[in-house]
Amino acid sequence: MKAATSQELIEVDALRVGMFVHLDTGWMSHPFPLSSFKISSADQMATIRSLGLKRVRWSPQQSDPVDEPVAEAQASGPLNEAVVPAALDTPPPVIEADEAARMLTPEAARVEHVRRLALQRSALLLCERQFAEATHQCRQLTALVPSQPQQAREQAEALTTALLQKMLGKQDVCIQLLSDAAGNEASAHAMNVTVISLLMGRSFGLDTADMLDLGLGAMLHDIGKIELPERLRQRDDAFSATEARQYEEHVAQGVTLGRKMGLSAGALLVVAQHHEHADGSGFPLRLNADRMTAAARIVSIVNRYDNLCNPHLPGHALTPHESLSLLFAQGKNKFDTAILGGFIKMMGVYPAGSTVQLTDDRYAMVVSVNSSRPLKPRVLVHEPAVPREEALVLDLETIAGLGIRRSLRPLQLPPPVLAYLAPCPRVAYFFEPTNVEPLQA
């Protein structure tokens, strides 16, 4: 259980660098990675003031000492809330070779190891908090669709725009596996499909308007399922012919709801076509690739991939590597060839979440993939002599002669390795800048 910390209200004009603040406007309403973070620059203070807030909450215990007194600007009445670790607001420093040479003493090496572990944990926490906030908002806006469809659309547009703003400004991003994927099954699926689809659109150079349509369509592609009974919301091989038809009707119901929401034509076509296949074998209209939009072709692949990794029945789940291999083997005709190739290139031969054996025989789990260098992911390595909380995360791109020999299903791992790597029962992804430092061998 997390410790509580005292919080107080402060005028925005009294903010100082080093203060740990909490913005109550919601993740969509500001450009920061998290709603709770430590101010690291004057630019961040200016951005907070531009939000139109008169006061914000701050946590003195989590803040650095400030040079100027702020008591006169504070409102009375402490507040209590769980401690939230600070976000990574600035890139970690790069260690040059000569500096590294001076850090080879055992004590210096230990300090450096601890520092990098802290950076890795903070980066993962950042991704998990963003994913949690996004899935929470996705679930909220979905609940609004039947009664307040236009408000639901506005919230979906705001959430998609927030994702785009955090994604498009970065030259290079890593696809990060989450160890604690918050959110219910439906909202986690929607967010997985949205994040990966947007990264795909980014890799293909779609313009901002098309990216917004892609993100909205991906987020709302299954919106028609809210009209179905709970037991029919996930396809089941045991469905009768009538039940299978009812399930497939979620596409048409989604289009109807999308029109009530006032979705753009591009987003509506994603909803309408996300189960179509390039060879005409999909549903409901059996369209081929020539009649599908580029955004729909992207979402069709990503939706299928996530359903293979995260099926309704966990026992049927494939590993990310198996899911990708199946898409390649069986999907050459079902999916657009160029988009399927782009998807495999971006996700890597061994997508995040894959359990693997390295060329030096050690076992590992892929934890992030740089979309521009997918053959050299970062892996968490099983080292019996190293506690799990101090496990090495190696960047294979920086280690000569070390690579991945083969992929393994989790149950093929020796029991102690399986317990150490602890692969998640559900695969969830978010994105992070590539400037987060990995540990080296």
Side-chain angles (χ1 to χ4, degrees):
M1 186 172 181
K2 297 178 179 178
T5 184
S6 173
Q7 296 177 14
E8 300 168 350
L9 292 174
I10 184 173
E11 303 286 344
V12 293
D13 290 338
L15 292 175
R16 299 290 182 269
V17 172
M19 289 184 174
F20 194 95
V21 296
H22 308 268
L23 305 181
D24 296 321
T25 58
W27 183 59
M28 297 185 299
S29 304
H30 59 75
F32 301 106
L34 293 178
S35 297
S36 301
F37 59 94
K38 187 181 294 183
I39 299 173
S40 63
S41 68
D43 287 342
Q44 289 186 345
M45 289 191 294
T47 300
I48 294 172
R49 290 167 185 150
S50 73
L51 299 177
L53 303 173
K54 293 182 178 180
R55 295 173 176 172
V56 296
R57 293 180 297 132
W58 77 295
S59 300
Q61 295 93 330
Q62 294 176 264
S63 302
D64 296 335
V66 293
D67 296 331
E68 299 183 36
V70 296
E72 67 275 8
Q74 295 173 352
S76 60
L79 302 171
N80 289 318
E81 186 175 335
V83 173
V84 181
L88 289 177
D89 294 313
T90 57
V94 176
I95 299 177
E96 302 295 342
D98 59 340
E99 182 184 355
R102 294 194 298 269
M103 298 176 63
L104 294 180
T105 66
E107 178 60 22
R110 185 192 67 79
V111 171
E112 174 64 5
H113 184 83
V114 170
R115 184 186 75 85
R116 293 200 180 203
L117 278 173
L119 287 172
Q120 289 178 357
R121 289 170 183 159
S122 295
L124 180 58
L125 176 65
L126 176 63
C127 288
E128 289 177 349
R129 285 289 308 278
Q130 289 179 334
F131 187 88
E133 289 195 40
T135 54
H136 176 69
Q137 292 177 24
C138 183
R139 186 165 64 252
Q140 285 185 321
L141 70 89
T142 300
L144 287 176
V145 169
S147 59
Q148 302 179 62
Q150 293 189 3
Q151 184 177 344
R153 185 205 74 236
E154 291 171 359
Q155 291 191 15
E157 289 174 343
L159 179 53
T160 303
T161 300
L163 287 169
L164 288 174
Q165 289 174 343
K166 295 174 191 298
M167 182 184 297
L168 295 180
K170 297 176 173 63
Q171 293 298 314
D172 236 356
V173 297
C174 280
I175 301 170
Q176 173 69 53
L177 175 72
L178 304 185
S179 61
D180 183 19
N184 65 13
E185 186 175 316
S187 59
H189 171 68
M191 197 48 50
N192 259 355
V193 174
T194 301
V195 167
I196 299 299
S197 294
L198 287 175
L199 289 172
M200 278 287 290
R202 180 180 186 265
S203 71
F204 279 104
L206 299 186
D207 62 30
T208 302
D210 287 340
M211 287 286 279
L212 183 60
D213 283 345
L214 171 61
L216 277 173
M219 190 178 300
L220 300 169
H221 71 278
D222 275 340
I223 198 68
K225 288 185 177 180
I226 65 177
E227 301 287 319
L228 295 179
E230 184 70 33
R231 65 183 182 83
L232 297 179
R233 292 183 183 181
Q234 304 295 331
R235 184 186 284 278
D236 192 319
D237 291 339
F239 277 173
S240 66
T242 299
E243 289 172 329
R245 282 195 299 272
Q246 286 180 284
Y247 168 80
E248 293 185 359
E249 286 173 1
H250 81 265
V251 175
Q253 291 167 339
V255 172
T256 298
L257 288 172
R259 286 175 175 153
K260 291 180 180 179
M261 295 172 72
L263 294 183
S264 64
L268 271 177
L269 285 171
V270 172
V271 176
Q273 299 176 359
H274 73 277
H275 277 297
E276 301 290 355
H277 291 154
D279 62 357
S281 64
F283 66 87
L285 299 178
R286 297 188 175 277
L287 304 178
N288 57 28
D290 293 339
R291 298 172 64 192
M292 295 172 65
T293 66
R297 281 176 274 157
I298 289 173
V299 173
S300 175
I301 289 176
V302 179
N303 179 56
R304 176 61 175 158
Y305 172 80
D306 192 65
N307 282 330
L308 289 172
C309 293
N310 300 310
H312 181 56
L313 298 175
H316 294 172
L318 300 181
T319 68
H321 176 72
E322 288 175 327
S323 299
L324 207 62
S325 298
L326 185 63
L327 284 177
F328 181 74
Q330 298 183 354
K332 292 180 181 178
N333 296 322
K334 287 189 175 183
F335 302 110
D336 180 283
T337 303
I339 292 178
L340 179 58
F343 179 70
I344 294 172
K345 180 180 178 182
M346 184 185 80
M347 297 298 290
V349 176
Y350 303 99
S354 300
T355 46
V356 299
Q357 188 172 28
L358 303 179
T359 52
D360 64 3
D361 292 334
R362 287 183 294 177
Y363 297 102
M365 181 168 63
V366 178
V367 294
S368 70
V369 176
N370 185 336
S371 57
S372 64
R373 293 182 288 279
L375 295 179
K376 293 291 187 177
R378 293 177 180 177
V379 295
L380 184 148
V381 181
H382 170 245
E383 290 283 5
V386 179
R388 175 62 168 78
E389 61 272 14
E390 298 178 13
L392 291 172
V393 174
L394 302 181
D395 187 346
L396 296 184
E397 184 182 10
T398 67
I399 305 173
L402 185 61
I404 294 175
R405 174 176 295 161
R406 58 174 177 157
S407 174
L408 297 167
R409 290 186 63 86
L411 292 180
Q412 292 177 288
L413 299 172
V417 177
L418 179 62
Y420 187 100
L421 296 179
C424 304
R426 289 189 62 83
V427 177
Y429 299 123
F430 210 70
F431 56 93
E432 66 174 3
T434 57
N435 59 18
V436 177
E437 292 183 72
L439 295 179
Q440 306 301 321

